Amino acid sequence: MDTLLFYVAFAFYAAGLFLSIATVVTRKDSFFRIAIISHGIGFVCHSVFLVVLGIERQHFPIMSLRESLYFFAWTVSLCFQISYWRYRFRALGLFSLPLVTILMLGTAFLKSYPAPPEILRSSWIYLHTTCLILAYGMFFITFMSSALYLFQQWQIKSRKPRILLERLPALLTMDEAFQNFLIAGFSFMTVGLLAGVLWAEKEWTQGWYQDPKVISTFVTWLIYLALLYLRLSAGWRGKRAALMSLAGFLSVLFTFIGARLFFEGLHSF
Amino acid sequence: MASSEQSPDSWKKLLLVGISHKSAPVEIREKVSFPELELHQATRVLRTQYALPESLILSTCNRVEVLAHSEDHRQASYSICDFLHRHHALQDSFLEKFLYNLRGDQVIRHVFRVASSLDSLVVGEAQILGQLKKAYSRARDLGRLGTGLEKLVPQAFFVAKRVRRETLIGKASVSVSSVSVKLAERIFGQLEGKSVLLIGAGQMAEQAAVNLVRAGISKVTIVNRSRDAARSLAHRFRGEAAGFEEMDRCLTESDVVLVSTGADGYVLLKAHLEKAIRRRKYQPLFVIDIAVPRNVDPTVHEIENVFLFDIDDLESVVESNLEGRRQSALQAEEIIEEEVQKFVRARAADKVGPLIYALRRRFEETCLRDFEYHARQLDDREREMLQMHLRQAAHRLAHPLIIEIKRAACGHHPENLDMIRRLFKLEEEE
């Protein structure tokens, strides 16, 4: 049941991806409308898949790297759908859809973990990982918005607006998306981090803060704190904001994947 | 013989020297544009110092053209060049590669195209016709128009109306102001709640402001050197009038800035906008400079989140919106071509007018000779009828000859003219 749902979701995501590429190639808007619907159906299947998986495994499916990738892909899909329906931010599809499809594809190559030890089964971990992964999905959108803002700004500045310009939302709309996803992502990250810290204080041995993943997560949080502060107080946008959110997102990627590859630590993923 | 006034092919003496957005960038155009107030004086100088019998100066944001009528093309176009250089204190031959030099039917075609807005920066916009009308009446007030231009310019108005009526060129007009609105929407999305600042109260700026307000801009502020003009405009837009000293505050509060003052130099400098953009926390600022000469320092564009478009930049955007109107433009070009031919033919007919008149009279006289003698027994009504019939017969006889004369005037067997003169012993009068 769950594997079937996974394949269906994957198929719809892939269809959405190809249709959105077709939109760019053929410049026909009708393709994009089907793409967004296809992606929407994929998203629903994906959600049902996560629920079914959770019931089957008796825990919220966010305990292994594989499960967290499922959830991360789901988060990116969710953010893309929100940004489309809220801001008509179609160009994001060009970046989110491949990411979602690759993430889904990637999970197939990961070995499945045995049931997690009893100690990890705590509501803290659900709060901790769910919030952080939601935040990371939002930071992806934040980064893409700021990059596209920069691109659109460059296009208008060049004074030779081309076709793509028509397909990007207005500068201020992208700026709004950037800010809102940044605020939401930062809030989730803060809650996720707090949950992790409190949980570690209660359950874990001394020295949890020396874990490489914990350290890099804090660095990430500080980068986003700085970005948010500069955005709200000094009005950072355009080039500086794009560079900073690139730094933030690279830090997210390192935290999510790199820290685990290069160092041994408390986190299994 | 042909009179000296209606000498052969008077249209061939037309000439036009000009510079436009097609031949020169705005940096050059702004150096040769004539402020409204100088135009009278300039026209007078052309007459007195350069001995140009007929001339008209058209100076708009996008073009400066001098239209003249002269026997000696070479001398006249040299004079106009010299005049443009001297008047604007430019180095000799500075304008050489930017000026175009038209004569004869090229002038007719060009003037028709300009009037019909086919040569405009924004093809199809209607302002050019008004500007041309103004230039025409100014030249006429100064007594600068002889028969050469007196016929051409009003005909151009007629052609413009015809083009407007018969094609869709004006309907789909992508005007500078609607392009401004589009760009504003690219930057701000919804224009509701955004505000526009007008610096100077030029006509183009006013038009652009009307379109922006129509698109949803909710607040209009006007800064002008003359407070009264600012107030009356502000009243129209239910906006606010402010003085130059309040510029900094206005820049901080506005999203779109439309600049079109008559000033000779930069009104907005980089320092102004750097300060404003910091105060705005780097919210985008869209600056439109429709003035020629330009009123905004071009380096302003380097500031992040400041988008400066001058009249040439708007053109490049307009270009990308033109596709849909190629068809209308082709249609319009056909009309222009037809009208040029018509005009040339009509001028040729002007030239043979006296001959035609003489021929008609000769035929009428011949038919009506001895009429009084033959009609002496008829009553008034019958006399009238007979006279009418004889006149008609005379006209019918003359008709094929008149056609032949008109054809000859256009160059088909021109020797026929003399033959007809000889055969019928015609003497043309003025």
Side-chain angles (χ1 to χ4, degrees), chain A residues 35-89:
Chain A
I36 193 81
I37 291 168
S38 172
H39 183 267
I41 297 172
F43 177 68
V44 171
C45 295
H46 193 165
S47 314
V48 177
F49 162 71
L50 288 180
V51 171
V52 170
L53 199 69
I55 293 168
E56 212 167 78
R57 299 195 175 169
Q58 299 288 306
H59 63 83
F60 190 61
I62 201 158
M63 305 296 277
S64 65
L65 181 55
R66 190 179 190 178
E67 286 174 357
S68 69
L69 284 186
Y70 289 150
F71 189 67
F72 184 56
W74 182 84
T75 309
V76 174
S77 287
L78 174 73
C79 292
F80 169 59
Q81 288 281 340
I82 292 174
S83 63
Y84 176 74
W85 295 109
R86 174 76 180 75
Y87 305 109
R88 298 281 145 185
F89 205 158

Short mmCIF file of all heavy atoms in Angstrom, two decimals, chain A residues 35-89:
data_model
loop_
_atom_site.label_atom_id
_atom_site.label_comp_id
_atom_site.label_asym_id
_atom_site.label_seq_id
_atom_site.Cartn_x
_atom_site.Cartn_y
_atom_site.Cartn_z
N ALA A 35 0.66 21.07 -15.06
CA ALA A 35 1.80 20.74 -14.20
C ALA A 35 1.45 20.97 -12.73
O ALA A 35 1.74 20.13 -11.88
CB ALA A 35 3.01 21.57 -14.60
N ILE A 36 0.82 22.12 -12.48
CA ILE A 36 0.54 22.45 -11.07
C ILE A 36 -0.51 21.49 -10.49
O ILE A 36 -0.42 21.08 -9.34
CB ILE A 36 0.13 23.94 -10.91
CG1 ILE A 36 0.16 24.38 -9.45
CG2 ILE A 36 -1.23 24.23 -11.47
CD1 ILE A 36 1.53 24.71 -8.99
N ILE A 37 -1.46 21.08 -11.35
CA ILE A 37 -2.47 20.12 -10.89
C ILE A 37 -1.82 18.77 -10.63
O ILE A 37 -2.04 18.14 -9.58
CB ILE A 37 -3.60 19.99 -11.93
CG1 ILE A 37 -4.41 21.29 -11.96
CG2 ILE A 37 -4.52 18.81 -11.59
CD1 ILE A 37 -5.35 21.40 -13.13
N SER A 38 -0.96 18.35 -11.56
CA SER A 38 -0.27 17.08 -11.41
C SER A 38 0.55 17.07 -10.13
O SER A 38 0.53 16.11 -9.35
CB SER A 38 0.62 16.87 -12.63
OG SER A 38 1.43 15.76 -12.44
N HIS A 39 1.26 18.17 -9.91
CA HIS A 39 2.05 18.26 -8.69
C HIS A 39 1.16 18.24 -7.46
O HIS A 39 1.49 17.62 -6.45
CB HIS A 39 2.90 19.53 -8.72
CG HIS A 39 3.79 19.67 -7.53
ND1 HIS A 39 3.42 20.35 -6.40
CD2 HIS A 39 5.03 19.17 -7.28
CE1 HIS A 39 4.40 20.28 -5.51
NE2 HIS A 39 5.39 19.55 -6.03
N GLY A 40 0.01 18.88 -7.56
CA GLY A 40 -0.95 18.89 -6.45
C GLY A 40 -1.41 17.49 -6.11
O GLY A 40 -1.44 17.10 -4.93
N ILE A 41 -1.75 16.72 -7.15
CA ILE A 41 -2.19 15.33 -6.90
C ILE A 41 -1.05 14.53 -6.26
O ILE A 41 -1.23 13.80 -5.29
CB ILE A 41 -2.64 14.67 -8.22
CG1 ILE A 41 -3.86 15.42 -8.79
CG2 ILE A 41 -3.00 13.20 -7.98
CD1 ILE A 41 -4.25 14.97 -10.17
N GLY A 42 0.16 14.72 -6.81
CA GLY A 42 1.33 14.07 -6.24
C GLY A 42 1.49 14.41 -4.77
O GLY A 42 1.76 13.54 -3.94
N PHE A 43 1.24 15.67 -4.45
CA PHE A 43 1.38 16.14 -3.08
C PHE A 43 0.37 15.46 -2.15
O PHE A 43 0.71 15.02 -1.05
CB PHE A 43 1.20 17.66 -3.04
CG PHE A 43 1.26 18.24 -1.68
CD1 PHE A 43 2.46 18.23 -0.96
CD2 PHE A 43 0.13 18.79 -1.09
CE1 PHE A 43 2.52 18.77 0.31
CE2 PHE A 43 0.19 19.34 0.19
CZ PHE A 43 1.39 19.32 0.89
N VAL A 44 -0.87 15.34 -2.64
CA VAL A 44 -1.91 14.66 -1.84
C VAL A 44 -1.51 13.21 -1.60
O VAL A 44 -1.56 12.72 -0.46
CB VAL A 44 -3.28 14.77 -2.54
CG1 VAL A 44 -4.30 13.90 -1.83
CG2 VAL A 44 -3.75 16.22 -2.59
N CYS A 45 -1.10 12.51 -2.68
CA CYS A 45 -0.67 11.12 -2.54
C CYS A 45 0.48 11.01 -1.55
O CYS A 45 0.54 10.12 -0.70
CB CYS A 45 -0.23 10.54 -3.88
SG CYS A 45 -1.56 10.43 -5.05
N HIS A 46 1.40 11.95 -1.67
CA HIS A 46 2.57 12.00 -0.79
C HIS A 46 2.13 12.12 0.67
O HIS A 46 2.62 11.41 1.55
CB HIS A 46 3.42 13.20 -1.21
CG HIS A 46 4.80 13.21 -0.63
ND1 HIS A 46 5.79 14.02 -1.12
CD2 HIS A 46 5.35 12.53 0.40
CE1 HIS A 46 6.90 13.83 -0.41
NE2 HIS A 46 6.64 12.93 0.52
N SER A 47 1.16 13.01 0.91
CA SER A 47 0.67 13.20 2.28
C SER A 47 0.04 11.91 2.79
O SER A 47 0.33 11.47 3.93
CB SER A 47 -0.37 14.32 2.32
OG SER A 47 0.08 15.42 1.60
N VAL A 48 -0.81 11.29 1.96
CA VAL A 48 -1.46 10.03 2.37
C VAL A 48 -0.40 8.98 2.64
O VAL A 48 -0.46 8.24 3.63
CB VAL A 48 -2.45 9.55 1.29
CG1 VAL A 48 -3.07 8.21 1.70
CG2 VAL A 48 -3.53 10.59 1.05
N PHE A 49 0.60 8.97 1.76
CA PHE A 49 1.71 8.02 1.92
C PHE A 49 2.37 8.18 3.28
O PHE A 49 2.62 7.20 4.00
CB PHE A 49 2.72 8.23 0.78
CG PHE A 49 4.07 7.65 1.02
CD1 PHE A 49 4.26 6.26 1.00
CD2 PHE A 49 5.17 8.46 1.26
CE1 PHE A 49 5.52 5.72 1.22
CE2 PHE A 49 6.43 7.91 1.46
CZ PHE A 49 6.60 6.55 1.44
N LEU A 50 2.64 9.41 3.68
CA LEU A 50 3.28 9.65 4.97
C LEU A 50 2.41 9.17 6.12
O LEU A 50 2.89 8.54 7.07
CB LEU A 50 3.59 11.15 5.15
CG LEU A 50 4.74 11.71 4.28
CD1 LEU A 50 4.93 13.18 4.56
CD2 LEU A 50 6.04 10.95 4.55
N VAL A 51 1.11 9.41 6.01
CA VAL A 51 0.18 8.98 7.06
C VAL A 51 0.18 7.46 7.17
O VAL A 51 0.33 6.88 8.26
CB VAL A 51 -1.25 9.51 6.78
CG1 VAL A 51 -2.26 8.89 7.75
CG2 VAL A 51 -1.26 11.03 6.89
N VAL A 52 0.04 6.81 5.99
CA VAL A 52 0.01 5.34 5.98
C VAL A 52 1.29 4.77 6.56
O VAL A 52 1.27 3.84 7.37
CB VAL A 52 -0.22 4.82 4.53
CG1 VAL A 52 -0.02 3.32 4.47
CG2 VAL A 52 -1.59 5.21 4.05
N LEU A 53 2.41 5.36 6.17
CA LEU A 53 3.72 4.92 6.65
C LEU A 53 3.81 5.05 8.16
O LEU A 53 4.29 4.15 8.86
CB LEU A 53 4.81 5.75 5.98
CG LEU A 53 6.22 5.18 5.99
CD1 LEU A 53 6.30 3.95 5.11
CD2 LEU A 53 7.22 6.23 5.52
N GLY A 54 3.29 6.17 8.65
CA GLY A 54 3.32 6.42 10.09
C GLY A 54 2.51 5.38 10.85
O GLY A 54 2.96 4.84 11.86
N ILE A 55 1.32 5.06 10.32
CA ILE A 55 0.47 4.07 11.00
C ILE A 55 1.14 2.72 10.98
O ILE A 55 1.19 2.02 12.01
CB ILE A 55 -0.91 4.00 10.29
CG1 ILE A 55 -1.66 5.32 10.48
CG2 ILE A 55 -1.74 2.83 10.83
CD1 ILE A 55 -2.88 5.48 9.62
N GLU A 56 1.71 2.39 9.84
CA GLU A 56 2.36 1.09 9.69
C GLU A 56 3.52 0.92 10.65
O GLU A 56 3.69 -0.10 11.29
CB GLU A 56 2.85 0.96 8.25
CG GLU A 56 2.82 -0.45 7.71
CD GLU A 56 3.02 -0.41 6.21
OE1 GLU A 56 4.18 -0.24 5.81
OE2 GLU A 56 2.03 -0.47 5.46
N ARG A 57 4.34 1.97 10.74
CA ARG A 57 5.56 1.86 11.55
C ARG A 57 5.34 2.29 13.00
O ARG A 57 6.29 2.37 13.77
CB ARG A 57 6.67 2.70 10.93
CG ARG A 57 7.00 2.22 9.53
CD ARG A 57 8.30 2.79 9.05
NE ARG A 57 8.61 2.19 7.75
CZ ARG A 57 9.58 2.61 6.94
NH1 ARG A 57 10.32 3.64 7.31
NH2 ARG A 57 9.81 2.02 5.80
N GLN A 58 4.14 2.69 13.28
CA GLN A 58 3.81 3.07 14.66
C GLN A 58 4.58 4.30 15.15
O GLN A 58 4.78 4.46 16.34
CB GLN A 58 4.10 1.89 15.62
CG GLN A 58 3.29 0.64 15.34
CD GLN A 58 1.84 0.81 15.74
OE1 GLN A 58 1.54 1.18 16.87
NE2 GLN A 58 0.93 0.57 14.80
N HIS A 59 5.08 5.10 14.25
CA HIS A 59 5.69 6.36 14.69
C HIS A 59 5.62 7.37 13.55
O HIS A 59 5.46 7.00 12.38
CB HIS A 59 7.15 6.15 15.13
CG HIS A 59 8.06 5.68 14.03
ND1 HIS A 59 8.63 6.53 13.13
CD2 HIS A 59 8.48 4.42 13.70
CE1 HIS A 59 9.37 5.84 12.27
NE2 HIS A 59 9.29 4.55 12.59
N PHE A 60 5.72 8.61 13.90
CA PHE A 60 5.69 9.65 12.88
C PHE A 60 6.92 9.45 12.00
O PHE A 60 8.04 9.36 12.50
CB PHE A 60 5.72 11.03 13.55
CG PHE A 60 5.45 12.15 12.59
CD1 PHE A 60 4.23 12.22 11.90
CD2 PHE A 60 6.39 13.14 12.38
CE1 PHE A 60 3.98 13.24 11.03
CE2 PHE A 60 6.14 14.18 11.50
CZ PHE A 60 4.93 14.23 10.83
N PRO A 61 6.75 9.32 10.69
CA PRO A 61 7.86 8.87 9.85
C PRO A 61 8.93 9.94 9.65
O PRO A 61 9.02 10.56 8.61
CB PRO A 61 7.18 8.51 8.54
CG PRO A 61 5.96 9.34 8.52
CD PRO A 61 5.54 9.55 9.93
N ILE A 62 9.73 10.13 10.66
CA ILE A 62 10.75 11.17 10.56
C ILE A 62 11.99 10.74 11.33
O ILE A 62 12.79 11.53 11.76
CB ILE A 62 10.14 12.49 11.09
CG1 ILE A 62 10.91 13.68 10.58
CG2 ILE A 62 10.04 12.50 12.59
CD1 ILE A 62 10.10 14.91 10.61
N MET A 63 12.10 9.39 11.51
CA MET A 63 13.12 8.86 12.40
C MET A 63 14.42 8.50 11.70
O MET A 63 15.45 8.38 12.36
CB MET A 63 12.59 7.62 13.12
CG MET A 63 11.30 7.85 13.87
SD MET A 63 11.52 9.02 15.19
CE MET A 63 12.16 7.94 16.45
N SER A 64 14.39 8.28 10.41
CA SER A 64 15.63 7.92 9.74
C SER A 64 15.92 8.93 8.64
O SER A 64 15.08 9.77 8.33
CB SER A 64 15.50 6.52 9.13
OG SER A 64 14.52 6.56 8.11
N LEU A 65 17.11 8.84 8.06
CA LEU A 65 17.45 9.76 6.99
C LEU A 65 16.44 9.63 5.86
O LEU A 65 15.97 10.62 5.29
CB LEU A 65 18.86 9.47 6.47
CG LEU A 65 19.34 10.40 5.35
CD1 LEU A 65 19.26 11.86 5.77
CD2 LEU A 65 20.76 10.06 4.92
N ARG A 66 16.07 8.39 5.55
CA ARG A 66 15.14 8.15 4.47
C ARG A 66 13.79 8.81 4.76
O ARG A 66 13.24 9.54 3.93
CB ARG A 66 14.97 6.64 4.31
CG ARG A 66 14.22 6.29 3.07
CD ARG A 66 14.13 4.80 3.00
NE ARG A 66 13.63 4.35 1.73
CZ ARG A 66 13.51 3.07 1.43
NH1 ARG A 66 13.86 2.14 2.30
NH2 ARG A 66 13.04 2.73 0.26
N GLU A 67 13.31 8.56 5.97
CA GLU A 67 12.01 9.16 6.33
C GLU A 67 12.08 10.68 6.34
O GLU A 67 11.14 11.36 5.94
CB GLU A 67 11.58 8.63 7.71
CG GLU A 67 11.09 7.20 7.66
CD GLU A 67 10.81 6.64 9.05
OE1 GLU A 67 11.05 7.36 10.05
OE2 GLU A 67 10.35 5.50 9.13
N SER A 68 13.21 11.16 6.81
CA SER A 68 13.31 12.63 6.86
C SER A 68 13.36 13.22 5.46
O SER A 68 12.88 14.31 5.23
CB SER A 68 14.51 13.05 7.68
OG SER A 68 15.69 12.72 6.99
N LEU A 69 13.94 12.45 4.51
CA LEU A 69 13.94 12.95 3.13
C LEU A 69 12.51 12.96 2.55
O LEU A 69 12.13 13.88 1.84
CB LEU A 69 14.86 12.12 2.24
CG LEU A 69 16.35 12.38 2.42
CD1 LEU A 69 17.16 11.60 1.38
CD2 LEU A 69 16.69 13.85 2.32
N TYR A 70 11.75 11.92 2.88
CA TYR A 70 10.33 11.92 2.48
C TYR A 70 9.67 13.21 2.96
O TYR A 70 8.96 13.89 2.25
CB TYR A 70 9.54 10.76 3.13
CG TYR A 70 9.85 9.39 2.60
CD1 TYR A 70 9.74 8.28 3.45
CD2 TYR A 70 10.19 9.17 1.27
CE1 TYR A 70 9.98 6.99 3.00
CE2 TYR A 70 10.44 7.89 0.81
CZ TYR A 70 10.34 6.80 1.67
OH TYR A 70 10.58 5.55 1.22
N PHE A 71 9.94 13.47 4.23
CA PHE A 71 9.27 14.62 4.83
C PHE A 71 9.81 15.94 4.27
O PHE A 71 9.06 16.88 4.06
CB PHE A 71 9.44 14.58 6.36
CG PHE A 71 8.61 15.61 7.06
CD1 PHE A 71 7.23 15.50 7.06
CD2 PHE A 71 9.19 16.70 7.69
CE1 PHE A 71 6.44 16.47 7.67
CE2 PHE A 71 8.41 17.67 8.30
CZ PHE A 71 7.03 17.56 8.30
N PHE A 72 11.10 15.97 4.00
CA PHE A 72 11.68 17.18 3.44
C PHE A 72 11.08 17.46 2.05
O PHE A 72 10.69 18.59 1.74
CB PHE A 72 13.21 17.07 3.36
CG PHE A 72 13.88 18.32 2.87
CD1 PHE A 72 13.66 19.53 3.53
CD2 PHE A 72 14.73 18.30 1.78
CE1 PHE A 72 14.28 20.69 3.09
CE2 PHE A 72 15.34 19.47 1.33
CZ PHE A 72 15.12 20.66 1.99
N ALA A 73 10.98 16.39 1.25
CA ALA A 73 10.38 16.54 -0.07
C ALA A 73 8.94 17.04 0.06
O ALA A 73 8.49 17.92 -0.70
CB ALA A 73 10.40 15.22 -0.82
N TRP A 74 8.25 16.49 1.05
CA TRP A 74 6.86 16.92 1.27
C TRP A 74 6.81 18.40 1.64
O TRP A 74 5.97 19.15 1.15
CB TRP A 74 6.26 16.04 2.40
CG TRP A 74 4.82 16.36 2.69
CD1 TRP A 74 3.74 15.86 2.03
CD2 TRP A 74 4.32 17.22 3.70
NE1 TRP A 74 2.58 16.36 2.56
CE2 TRP A 74 2.91 17.21 3.60
CE3 TRP A 74 4.91 18.01 4.70
CZ2 TRP A 74 2.09 17.95 4.43
CZ3 TRP A 74 4.09 18.75 5.53
CH2 TRP A 74 2.69 18.72 5.38
N THR A 75 7.76 18.83 2.49
CA THR A 75 7.80 20.23 2.90
C THR A 75 8.04 21.16 1.71
O THR A 75 7.37 22.18 1.56
CB THR A 75 8.93 20.45 3.92
OG1 THR A 75 8.81 19.49 4.94
CG2 THR A 75 8.87 21.82 4.51
N VAL A 76 9.00 20.77 0.87
CA VAL A 76 9.29 21.62 -0.29
C VAL A 76 8.06 21.70 -1.19
O VAL A 76 7.68 22.77 -1.68
CB VAL A 76 10.51 21.08 -1.08
CG1 VAL A 76 10.71 21.86 -2.37
CG2 VAL A 76 11.76 21.16 -0.23
N SER A 77 7.37 20.54 -1.39
CA SER A 77 6.14 20.54 -2.19
C SER A 77 5.10 21.47 -1.58
O SER A 77 4.47 22.27 -2.28
CB SER A 77 5.54 19.14 -2.23
OG SER A 77 6.31 18.33 -3.05
N LEU A 78 4.94 21.36 -0.27
CA LEU A 78 3.97 22.21 0.42
C LEU A 78 4.30 23.68 0.19
O LEU A 78 3.43 24.48 -0.19
CB LEU A 78 3.98 21.88 1.92
CG LEU A 78 3.11 22.79 2.79
CD1 LEU A 78 1.64 22.46 2.57
CD2 LEU A 78 3.45 22.63 4.27
N CYS A 79 5.57 24.03 0.40
CA CYS A 79 5.97 25.44 0.25
C CYS A 79 5.76 25.91 -1.17
O CYS A 79 5.35 27.05 -1.40
CB CYS A 79 7.43 25.62 0.63
SG CYS A 79 7.73 25.37 2.38
N PHE A 80 6.05 25.03 -2.14
CA PHE A 80 5.86 25.42 -3.53
C PHE A 80 4.39 25.68 -3.80
O PHE A 80 4.02 26.69 -4.42
CB PHE A 80 6.40 24.35 -4.48
CG PHE A 80 5.98 24.58 -5.90
CD1 PHE A 80 6.34 25.75 -6.55
CD2 PHE A 80 5.21 23.64 -6.57
CE1 PHE A 80 5.95 25.98 -7.87
CE2 PHE A 80 4.82 23.87 -7.89
CZ PHE A 80 5.18 25.04 -8.52
N GLN A 81 3.53 24.78 -3.32
CA GLN A 81 2.09 24.97 -3.53
C GLN A 81 1.62 26.28 -2.89
O GLN A 81 0.88 27.04 -3.49
CB GLN A 81 1.29 23.78 -2.98
CG GLN A 81 1.42 22.51 -3.80
CD GLN A 81 0.55 22.51 -5.07
OE1 GLN A 81 -0.40 23.26 -5.16
NE2 GLN A 81 0.91 21.68 -6.03
N ILE A 82 2.08 26.51 -1.67
CA ILE A 82 1.69 27.76 -0.99
C ILE A 82 2.16 28.96 -1.80
O ILE A 82 1.39 29.88 -2.08
CB ILE A 82 2.29 27.83 0.44
CG1 ILE A 82 1.63 26.79 1.33
CG2 ILE A 82 2.08 29.22 1.03
CD1 ILE A 82 2.26 26.68 2.71
N SER A 83 3.42 28.92 -2.22
CA SER A 83 3.94 30.10 -2.93
C SER A 83 3.23 30.27 -4.27
O SER A 83 3.09 31.39 -4.75
CB SER A 83 5.45 30.01 -3.12
OG SER A 83 5.76 28.91 -3.92
N TYR A 84 2.78 29.16 -4.85
CA TYR A 84 2.05 29.33 -6.11
C TYR A 84 0.68 29.94 -5.86
O TYR A 84 0.30 30.92 -6.49
CB TYR A 84 1.89 27.99 -6.85
CG TYR A 84 1.04 28.16 -8.09
CD1 TYR A 84 1.56 28.80 -9.21
CD2 TYR A 84 -0.31 27.78 -8.11
CE1 TYR A 84 0.79 29.01 -10.33
CE2 TYR A 84 -1.09 27.99 -9.23
CZ TYR A 84 -0.54 28.62 -10.35
OH TYR A 84 -1.31 28.85 -11.45
N TRP A 85 -0.07 29.37 -4.91
CA TRP A 85 -1.44 29.87 -4.71
C TRP A 85 -1.47 31.23 -4.05
O TRP A 85 -2.37 32.02 -4.27
CB TRP A 85 -2.28 28.85 -3.91
CG TRP A 85 -2.46 27.60 -4.70
CD1 TRP A 85 -1.89 26.38 -4.46
CD2 TRP A 85 -3.24 27.43 -5.90
NE1 TRP A 85 -2.25 25.49 -5.42
CE2 TRP A 85 -3.08 26.09 -6.33
CE3 TRP A 85 -4.04 28.27 -6.67
CZ2 TRP A 85 -3.70 25.58 -7.47
CZ3 TRP A 85 -4.64 27.76 -7.81
CH2 TRP A 85 -4.47 26.44 -8.20
N ARG A 86 -0.44 31.53 -3.27
CA ARG A 86 -0.43 32.82 -2.59
C ARG A 86 0.17 33.91 -3.48
O ARG A 86 -0.35 35.01 -3.57
CB ARG A 86 0.37 32.68 -1.29
CG ARG A 86 0.61 33.96 -0.51
CD ARG A 86 -0.64 34.40 0.25
NE ARG A 86 -0.40 35.64 0.99
CZ ARG A 86 -0.31 36.84 0.43
NH1 ARG A 86 -0.44 36.95 -0.87
NH2 ARG A 86 -0.10 37.90 1.17
N TYR A 87 1.27 33.62 -4.16
CA TYR A 87 1.98 34.66 -4.91
C TYR A 87 2.02 34.41 -6.41
O TYR A 87 2.65 35.17 -7.14
CB TYR A 87 3.42 34.79 -4.42
CG TYR A 87 3.55 35.03 -2.94
CD1 TYR A 87 4.03 34.04 -2.10
CD2 TYR A 87 3.17 36.24 -2.40
CE1 TYR A 87 4.14 34.25 -0.73
CE2 TYR A 87 3.29 36.48 -1.04
CZ TYR A 87 3.76 35.47 -0.21
OH TYR A 87 3.87 35.69 1.13
N ARG A 88 1.40 33.34 -6.87
CA ARG A 88 1.50 32.96 -8.30
C ARG A 88 2.97 32.86 -8.71
O ARG A 88 3.36 33.32 -9.78
CB ARG A 88 0.78 33.98 -9.20
CG ARG A 88 -0.68 34.11 -8.94
CD ARG A 88 -1.44 32.98 -9.59
NE ARG A 88 -2.58 32.64 -8.73
CZ ARG A 88 -3.39 31.63 -8.95
NH1 ARG A 88 -3.20 30.85 -9.99
NH2 ARG A 88 -4.38 31.38 -8.13
N PHE A 89 3.75 32.30 -7.82
CA PHE A 89 5.19 32.26 -8.01
C PHE A 89 5.53 31.01 -8.81
O PHE A 89 6.02 30.02 -8.29
CB PHE A 89 5.88 32.24 -6.64
CG PHE A 89 7.27 32.77 -6.64
CD1 PHE A 89 7.83 33.25 -5.45
CD2 PHE A 89 8.03 32.83 -7.80
CE1 PHE A 89 9.12 33.75 -5.43
CE2 PHE A 89 9.31 33.32 -7.79
CZ PHE A 89 9.85 33.78 -6.61
#
